[in-house]
Amino acid sequence: MSYVEGFVVAVPKANKEVYRAFALKAVPLFKEIGVTRFVECWEDDVPDGKVTDFRRAVQAKEDEAVVFAWLEYPSKEVRDAANAIMRSDPRFHPAADMPFDGKRMIFGGFAPILDV
C-alpha cells in the first residue's frame, strides 16, 4: 500500500495564484524523488471549531486561507528517502520565494488504513 505525507499551511488570500505557481513549480522536483500524486487544496468550507480547527492549527490570520495538501509515495521507504533528499538538496529550500510562513506549517506521514 502507498504512503501519504500531508500538510496544512496558512497562505495570504492575495497570494493564491502565487502559491499555485509555487506549488506547480515544485511538482517536477517531487516527481523526481518518488512522489506519485501531489494534491493541493485551497480552503473552501473550513468551519471554526469549538476546541480546535484547521485555522487554529496553523494560526491563520483573517486575511489568510488554509491550504490542505498531500503527497502520495509508493511506500514509506520511498518517502523517507525523499525526505532525506529534501533536507540536503538546495532546490527544496526556496525560503526567499515561499508565499507563506513556513514556521506555521503542520505536516506528517500517514500509513493508509482504508483506500476505496
Side-chain angles (χ1 to χ4, degrees), residues 58-73:
V58 293
Q59 300 175 355
K61 299 174 182 134
E62 198 62 38
D63 66 338
E64 293 178 319
V66 174
V67 170
F68 170 67
W70 72 92
L71 295 79
E72 188 171 1
Y73 295 89

Side-chain angles (χ1 to χ4, degrees), residues 3 6 15 18 22 33 45 47 73 80 85 97 99 106 110:
Y3 193 78
N15 284 355
V18 174
F22 177 81
I33 62 171
D45 182 16
Y73 295 89
D80 291 348
I85 292 167
D97 298 333
I106 60 170
F110 300 86

Side-chain angles (χ1 to χ4, degrees), residues 11-81:
V11 179
K13 293 174 183 175
N15 284 355
K16 183 176 183 179
E17 286 309 313
V18 174
Y19 181 84
R20 187 178 178 286
F22 177 81
L24 196 55
K25 185 177 171 184
V27 170
L29 295 175
F30 283 103
K31 293 279 188 180
E32 180 183 313
I33 62 171
V35 171
T36 56
R37 187 173 181 207
F38 186 4
V39 179
E40 296 267 1
C41 305
W42 191 265
E43 169 184 327
D44 179 54
D45 182 16
V46 179
D48 292 336
K50 292 192 191 287
V51 177
T52 192
D53 54 45
F54 277 104
R55 298 190 65 73
R56 280 186 250 184
V58 293
Q59 300 175 355
K61 299 174 182 134
E62 198 62 38
D63 66 338
E64 293 178 319
V66 174
V67 170
F68 170 67
W70 72 92
L71 295 79
E72 188 171 1
Y73 295 89
S75 66
K76 184 177 190 303
E77 293 75 23
V78 173
R79 181 271 196 154
D80 291 348

